[in-house]
Amino acid sequence: DKETFHSSIPESIVLQEDSTVRSSDTTRTDGTAKLQAEYRIRRPSDGAIRWILRHARFVRGEKGLPDRMYGIVSDITAQKVAYDFAAALLKLGDRLSDATSIEEVAKAAGEILGESLAVGRAGYAVVDAAAETFTLDGNWLTRPMASMNGVHAIAHFPGTISRLRSGSTLIVKDVRSFR
């Protein structure tokens, strides 16, 4: 469905970090607004961060000055996610081709996973089903925080035992409340 609205509406929800690419009353009036721009917004209905692509044109008056700016705004979040995923896979492939040990593989994978997901910590664990433990070595961190490296009893994490044993990917949003 097509919807018509004043440009100040999507521009008002642009993330601060992307504010230099949004248009303003001044740039729309003086004709200096970027005609094509990509930026992120925080969707008011649920707070989700979405990527937006704006294609615009100016309608100019007799003196060549802009009378108005019109265009389309599209949500390109799915395309950005797909591009970022492909870029992460390429980076991982490059790093894995140079790896000479399991530790280097785990370190590279944890780093790329952490960067791709924009999380504070990422890593891979080796599960010893017989001992009912897992070993985390070389967890990747974006900032100083307590390391979780070492051997951990699976029993301390009862909600994850079956998922770990089945080989499923485990994502923990906050390790401080994780069990």
Side-chain angles (χ1 to χ4, degrees):
D1 292 335
K2 294 181 180 178
E3 186 177 344
T4 302
F5 46 84
H6 190 272
S7 57
S8 62
I9 293 172
E11 301 290 352
S12 69
I13 56 176
V14 173
L15 295 185
Q16 185 63 36
E17 301 91 342
D18 294 348
S19 63
T20 58
V21 297
R22 71 177 173 215
S23 66
S24 66
D25 286 337
T26 302
T27 62
R28 288 187 295 272
T29 302
D30 68 14
T32 61
K34 294 179 182 179
L35 297 178
Q36 182 171 321
E38 290 182 7
Y39 49 85
R40 294 166 298 160
I41 63 166
R42 182 173 308 279
R43 193 166 49 197
S45 61
D46 61 3
I49 304 296
R50 307 299 296 181
W51 276 96
I52 299 298
L53 172 63
R54 179 188 69 224
H55 285 285
R57 297 283 180 261
F58 286 109
V59 174
R60 298 189 180 272
E62 292 178 16
K63 296 181 180 181
L65 298 174
D67 281 341
R68 66 179 198 165
M69 181 177 160
Y70 71 96
I72 60 169
V73 176
S74 303
D75 185 332
I76 60 167
T77 304
Q79 294 93 322
K80 283 290 207 178
V81 169
Y83 175 84
D84 291 346
F85 180 73
L89 288 176
L90 288 171
K91 184 176 180 181
L92 181 60
D94 290 344
R95 293 278 300 276
L96 293 182
S97 69
D98 295 333
T100 59
S101 68
I102 296 294
E103 292 78 17
E104 288 180 13
V105 168
K107 182 179 179 185
E111 179 182 327
I112 292 166
L113 179 66
E115 289 172 352
S116 298
L117 296 175
V119 297
R121 174 195 317 263
Y124 287 87
V126 175
V127 175
D128 183 338
E132 294 195 351
T133 62
F134 67 91
T135 303
L136 182 62
D137 185 24
N139 64 146
W140 177 83
L141 308 169
T142 59
R143 60 188 176 279
M145 63 178 80
S147 173
M148 290 194 61
N149 284 348
V151 179
H152 303 276
I154 291 175
H156 292 156
F157 303 89
T160 65
I161 293 172
S162 63
R163 287 174 56 197
L164 287 172
R165 285 189 174 146
S166 72
S168 297
T169 301
L170 175 64
I171 299 172
V172 179
K173 292 189 184 262
D174 186 347
V175 295
R176 293 172 296 195
S177 62
F178 177 63
R179 288 284 173 225

